Amino acid sequence: MKKLLTATTLILSALCLPAVQAAEGDVGVEAAMDDRYCTTCHGVEGIGNMAVEAPRLAGMESWYLKRQLENFRAGIRGTHEQDTQGIAMRPMATKLSGESIEDIVAWVGSWEYVPAQATIEGDINQGRSAFQSCAACHGANAEGNEALGAPALAGQNDWYMVTQLKNFRAGFRGAHPEDTYGSQMLSMSKALGDDRAVINVVSYINTLVK
Amino acid sequence: MTNPVSRREFLNLLGAYGGTSAVLRAGAALGFMPSSSQAAEISLRANNGKKVAILGTGISALTTAWELTKAGYDCTLLEASHRPGGRMFTVRAGTVIDEIGNYQRCEWDDDPHLYFNAGAARIPSIHSSVLKYCKELEVELQVFVNESKTAWVQDDALNGGKPVRNTDYSSSMQGFVSEMLAKSLGNSEVNSSLTESESETLLGMLRSFGDLNEDMLYKGSVRAGYGSGGFLDHGTKKDVIALRDLLKTRLARNVMVTTQEGTGSGPLLMQPVGGMDRIIYAFANRLGNRIKFRAPVTEVMVKDDGVEVAYEQNGVTELLKADYCFNCIPSHLMSGIPNNFPTEYTEALNYIRRGKAYKAAFQAKERFWEKENIYGGITWVNAPIQQIWYPPHNIHGKKGVVLAAYNFGGANYTEMSQEDRIEDLLKHGEKVHPNYRQMAEKPMTIAWHRMNHMLGCAPRWARNRGGWSEKEEQMYETLRQPVNGRHYLIGDQSTQHSAWMESAIQSAHYALADLDQRVRSEPA
Ligand SMILES: Cc1cc2nc3c(=O)[nH]c(=O)nc-3n(C[C@H](O)[C@H](O)[C@H](O)COP(=O)(O)OP(=O)(O)OC[C@H]3O[C@@H](n4cnc5c(N)ncnc54)[C@H](O)[C@@H]3O)c2cc1C
């Protein structure tokens, strides 16, 4: 596994000196050589960032994260032209080595689970009954089920789940022939009749936060 | 023309009602420039040892640190990146482009002339604050050539895809537009509203603007260069490009306009000798070890009596306690950093979007453009690369760095791999210069939407093209007020004219003036 290069500081203490010939390299340090870029978009310790539509990674299961990074890298996810957010993510993953993915997964795994703040309000009762079919795979408390390949949903950013459910429903995600789990999700998502139903079910998931 | 200007419309144009000309009649001197052209005088009250945390090292942050340090404040700058300067970034031998998923190290020849301003590149003469610091910090400037009439215009739809000289295009376009206007002056309605002298002046200008003949017709112009001869022999005119052909490309909007954006752009601009980051390092070298690199801010907590900033360094979380905090971290990244800002403040931070932009450049084996009589300026191309720039410095030197793509607002390169970007820029460039591919050494590309710690270019406030909504104006005001009188948001993101260094500097001046007022009103 790659290690973070320790910064070799080449800082010159130069204030009060008369006009110094400015040149690159006088200040600044070595750039990092690893692929630990996630926090720029996904927020400090992966808390998620709504302003750039990057979901929470803190608490995400390592097996799920690994699968998604590999799917992005292989173009199984993030290649449908309507999947705006997926398209934005994909180039970040295309060059990752297997080693880098392991490193990232371990790094992300070191962050504490932090449930995201709720930002949407739907009909929780309607959502609860719709959730019954989700619970079969994702667990009654949306805690996830590795054996079935279904990630935890509780604590994830609600705006992210809404986008993903809409994408599954429209076939923007999960339609790639090699996206085994995605295609299951694509067909399951059709059970949600419309955008309203999506909002409702996600509002219910918001109540399951541990 | 089938639908000539009516007399009423024409009177409007003449300035009978409102408009800028009304100002003229009111007697205001035209020679005055907008107030922004005067650099603010900063005179902060000397202050011993108040601690200031400055987040990021964009030009706004460096300005703040420099002014406060001069006044005796104790400044610490926290920068997430390995380098200072944010969107003022120059690439030369050895530079790392820290683009997410597209790490590049520049391996051009180590030569002071061979550099690429990957972010800001041009300084307009009315950007007085930028110029003021260049003078104060002894950053040497030179002229940047923004327009060259010998550069090319290339569009597959025009001239069978073969490039046309800017001057061939613009002379013909000016000629036809002038001819049409001159004809519309023949319209008696319009003509009767002009005095004889006004009419003569206008026609004289049109004749000269369009290079029209005695009959006020455009029949070609030697402005486009000579078909043959010109020095020892009489020069002959080149063929005229028909108006219908000129209209086959939409590039006219770029080719015909060199002055845009409140005179932010024009034929004459400036650049620092050796690269835009000369300005950054002029500040940063003077600030020395006050700047901590690879020290990403991870939390900002505003307290009653100051601000506590957590940051990471070498894998350890450190805490910086300060009396005041100036923050230029891009708003959309600040949204992913825990803080205790008031709700309406976070809402405003979340609201600002970022425009996309990309650039590319390569080191040219030879200065091939000079053999085509080009010594600077811009070639316009109707392709994702949009522009090719030729270096105005080191004329007749051995090599030079060609800017091979600059798309401000476009997203094409953002999702492309490095290999695809390079193939794209070579493919389109060789339509302009046949030997382009052979001349291009080691292309470098940068998609700002994928730059680490930046993720974008111009902050975008207004969602509608029509301008700012009332709500947007309100949010803007919210962000301009310091949180608890302690935390200031700076950068071009807290101005109404984004994507200029001048704006970023002025945001710092605005915040500093507020701080100074607070400090002065404190009981001694
Ligand atoms: C392609 C392009 C062309 C341009 N052309 C011109 C031009 O010709 N003329 C002109 O005047 N202007 C131009 N601009 C605009 C100009 O570069 C910007 O307006 C100006 O540099 C912005 O400065 P700023 O102070 O707002 O900070 P920024 O440059 O936005 O800097 C933000 C800083 O915050 C740092 N940061 C991010 N996250 C963290 C964190 N967690 N902790 C600590 N630090 C963090 C970043 O690393 C960066 O240093 C151009 C910009 C681009 C991208």
Side-chain angles (χ1 to χ4, degrees):
Chain A
M1 220 180 287
K2 285 187 198 166
K3 283 214 182 91
L4 262 177
L5 273 185
T6 29
T8 19
T9 43
L10 306 166
I11 295 168
L12 284 183
S13 168
L15 191 97
C16 309
L17 288 181
V20 245
Q21 177 58 39
E24 188 181 30
D26 282 2
V27 297
V29 295
E30 281 286 301
M33 290 292 294
D34 57 69
D35 289 315
R36 294 181 169 196
Y37 285 113
C38 318
T39 49
T40 295
C41 302
H42 292 273
V44 172
E45 302 208 325
I47 58 170
N49 183 347
M50 191 176 179
V52 295
E53 299 182 81
R56 190 200 59 130
L57 301 176
M60 187 175 273
E61 302 94 324
S62 34
W63 54 266
Y64 179 72
L65 179 60
K66 181 165 184 283
R67 189 172 84 209
Q68 296 310 311
L69 283 174
E70 286 168 351
N71 282 355
F72 276 119
R73 183 175 63 178
I76 295 170
R77 187 175 171 192
T79 41
H80 192 289
E81 60 182 22
Q82 301 285 339
D83 180 7
T84 321
Q85 295 79 1
I87 287 174
M89 175 61 205
R90 172 137 205 270
M92 319 288 188
T94 38
K95 278 201 177 169
L96 293 178
S97 63
E99 205 181 57
S100 273
I101 291 185
E102 294 291 339
D103 177 50
I104 290 169
V105 167
W107 181 47
V108 173
S110 72
W111 299 331
E112 269 173 48
Y113 165 86
V114 184
Q117 270 182 358
T119 64
I120 60 167
E121 273 173 46
D123 184 329
I124 291 172
N125 286 328
Q126 297 263 341
R128 181 184 293 117
S129 55
F131 185 76
Q132 297 325 305
S133 50
C134 314
C137 296
H138 291 276
N141 294 310
E143 71 277 21
N145 184 335
E146 181 176 358
L148 297 175
L153 305 173
Q156 185 52 285
N157 297 107
D158 50 15
W159 41 265
Y160 171 75
M161 289 190 283
V162 168
T163 309
Q164 296 309 308
L165 279 171
K166 286 184 183 171
N167 282 353
F168 277 123
R169 273 173 39 76
F172 304 161
R173 182 177 169 188
H176 191 282
E178 286 166 54
D179 192 355
T180 329
Y181 293 102
S183 67
Q184 285 175 23
M185 199 43 221
L186 188 149
S187 48
M188 292 305 291
S189 68
K190 304 277 189 200
L192 297 167
D194 54 17
D195 286 357
R196 197 68 243 157
V198 168
I199 303 271
N200 292 342
V201 80
V202 173
S203 302
Y204 175 68
I205 296 170
N206 274 342
T207 67
L208 299 174
V209 170
K210 49 178 173 178
Chain B
M1 292 176 82
T2 52
N3 194 7
V5 190
S6 73
R7 185 179 150 80
R8 191 181 169 76
E9 284 164 336
F10 198 72
L11 281 175
N12 255 329
L13 287 176
L14 281 174
Y17 312 102
T20 348
S21 38
V23 178
L24 241 191
R25 288 193 310 154
L30 266 187
F32 285 149
M33 274 296 194
S35 57
S36 66
S37 70
Q38 297 302 321
E41 279 306 319
I42 307 296
S43 66
L44 302 177
R45 189 164 92 173
N47 195 295
N48 262 335
K50 278 228 194 261
K51 286 190 95 172
V52 182
I54 299 171
L55 317 187
T57 55
I59 184 87
S60 62
L62 294 169
T63 303
T64 305
W66 175 238
E67 292 297 345
L68 288 175
T69 303
K70 283 194 292 185
Y73 287 80
D74 173 10
C75 297
T76 303
L77 295 93
L78 302 173
E79 171 53 62
S81 174
H82 62 285
R83 62 167 180 93
R87 278 170 285 155
M88 286 164 69
F89 180 34
T90 302
V91 176
R92 56 172 77 76
T95 306
V96 163
I97 298 187
D98 196 12
E99 185 184 316
I100 301 183
N102 191 25
Y103 180 97
Q104 301 161 65
R105 185 180 282 276
C106 180
E107 287 169 3
W108 293 342
D109 300 356
D110 194 354
D111 175 326
H113 297 293
L114 298 177
Y115 65 84
F116 155 41
N117 287 326
R122 302 178 281 198
I123 308 175
S125 41
I126 64 156
H127 287 190
S128 310
S129 313
V130 180
L131 292 166
K132 168 190 131 133
Y133 285 112
C134 289
K135 197 167 174 181
E136 181 179 337
L137 304 177
E138 298 179 38
V139 175
E140 195 185 336
L141 297 174
Q142 59 187 189
V143 162
F144 176 88
V145 179
N146 201 38
E147 183 183 23
S148 163
K149 287 288 174 191
T150 48
W152 300 97
V153 178
Q154 196 278 333
D155 186 328
D156 292 348
L158 175 73
N159 195 29
K162 284 211 219 53
V164 170
R165 294 277 184 180
N166 176 307
T167 190
D168 278 326
Y169 192 91
S170 54
S171 308
S172 294
M173 188 57 101
Q174 271 174 237
F176 289 123
V177 168
S178 302
E179 185 179 317
M180 282 189 278
L181 285 178
K183 276 187 188 140
S184 77
L185 279 181
N187 160 20
S188 60
E189 264 218 335
V190 167
N191 211 359
S192 68
S193 44
L194 286 173
T195 67
E196 204 168 310
S197 146
E198 284 171 341
S199 171
E200 259 172 39
T201 306
L202 189 52
L203 282 170
M205 186 281 288
L206 286 175
R207 180 177 294 144
S208 151
F209 183 68
D211 204 8
L212 307 183
N213 67 13
E214 275 92 89
D215 303 324
M216 296 303 279
L217 299 174
Y218 180 66
K219 294 290 175 197
S221 167
V222 289
R223 286 178 189 165
Y226 301 109
S228 67
F231 297 99
L232 295 178
D233 306 319
H234 290 299
T236 61
K237 286 181 193 170
K238 289 199 209 162
D239 289 344
V240 173
I241 310 177
L243 178 59
R244 170 149 285 148
D245 288 327
L246 293 176
L247 296 177
K248 285 186 173 145
T249 180
R250 299 211 162 162
L251 288 172
R253 8 176 149 176
N254 305 102
V255 177
M256 301 304 294
V257 181
T258 49
T259 307
Q260 350 154 331
E261 279 237 41
T263 68
S265 184
L268 180 143
L269 296 163
M270 281 164 278
Q271 64 178 12
V273 173
M276 193 55 88
D277 67 351
R278 293 297 186 230
I279 301 179
I280 294 300
Y281 287 100
F283 280 113
N285 287 346
R286 284 169 175 81
L287 293 166
N289 59 12
R290 289 172 180 79
I291 308 179
K292 295 185 192 299
F293 292 98
R294 294 189 57 193
V297 169
T298 55
E299 191 172 84
V300 181
M301 290 294 169
V302 184
K303 309 275 170 180
D304 284 343
D305 55 351
V307 180
E308 289 182 12
V309 180
Y311 64 98
E312 223 172 84
Q313 182 117 71
N314 301 325
V316 180
T317 301
E318 311 269 1
L319 193 66
L320 175 66
K321 292 186 182 179
D323 298 299
Y324 298 99
C325 177
F326 290 74
N327 186 349
C328 85
I329 296 175
S331 54
H332 61 315
L333 303 188
M334 198 52 225
S335 298
I337 300 175
N339 60 67
N340 66 344
F341 300 148
T343 317
E344 66 276 11
Y345 199 84
T346 3
E347 270 170 14
L349 280 177
N350 279 339
Y351 185 82
I352 311 170
R353 293 280 168 274
R354 286 272 160 169
K356 298 193 174 174
Y358 57 84
K359 281 189 176 180
F362 58 77
Q363 165 179 300
K365 265 187 205 134
E366 290 165 29
R367 297 175 75 91
F368 59 86
W369 55 95
E370 291 177 353
K371 293 185 185 145
E372 299 173 25
N373 305 97
I374 301 172
Y375 287 87
I378 300 178
T379 282
W380 290 97
V381 182
N382 184 16
I385 60 168
Q386 250 186 18
Q387 310 180 40
I388 299 174
W389 293 9
Y390 313 93
H393 54 275
N394 199 28
I395 286 172
H396 294 160
K398 191 170 176 314
K399 295 188 175 185
V401 169
V402 171
L403 183 110
Y406 181 19
N407 194 318
F408 193 87
N412 313 59
Y413 277 25
T414 308
E415 282 129 28
M416 279 158 87
S417 68
Q418 178 71 352
E419 297 69 37
D420 290 351
R421 292 177 191 176
I422 291 174
E423 180 48 34
D424 183 81
L425 69 88
L426 292 175
K427 182 177 83 188
H428 290 290
E430 68 190 347
K431 291 183 188 172
V432 181
H433 305 282
N435 54 349
Y436 203 69
R437 198 177 279 272
Q438 292 73 42
M439 286 292 139
E441 294 180 335
K442 303 169 183 160
M444 304 290 292
T445 74
I446 184 165
W448 280 95
H449 238 71
R450 282 172 59 184
M451 278 301 282
N452 200 14
H453 310 302
M454 218 45 248
L455 290 188
C457 184
R460 293 258 180 263
W461 271 92
R463 291 274 200 278
N464 293 316
R465 281 172 157 257
W468 291 48
S469 69
E470 208 173 300
K471 187 161 172 260
E472 285 161 346
E473 297 280 359
Q474 266 169 17
M475 286 192 285
Y476 173 67
E477 280 312 319
T478 302
L479 288 187
R480 290 228 292 178
Q481 301 308 316
V483 178
N484 212 13
R486 299 284 169 179
H487 175 276
Y488 293 88
L489 186 78
I490 53 172
D492 67 331
Q493 56 194 354
S494 44
T495 74
Q496 293 191 320
H497 197 174
S498 70
W500 287 106
M501 300 178 282
E502 177 70 17
S503 308
I505 294 178
Q506 288 200 21
S507 79
H509 289 170
Y510 183 86
L512 285 170
D514 185 281
L515 170 78
D516 195 49
Q517 212 176 20
R518 282 172 204 274
V519 171
R520 283 177 198 269
S521 63
E522 271 173 15

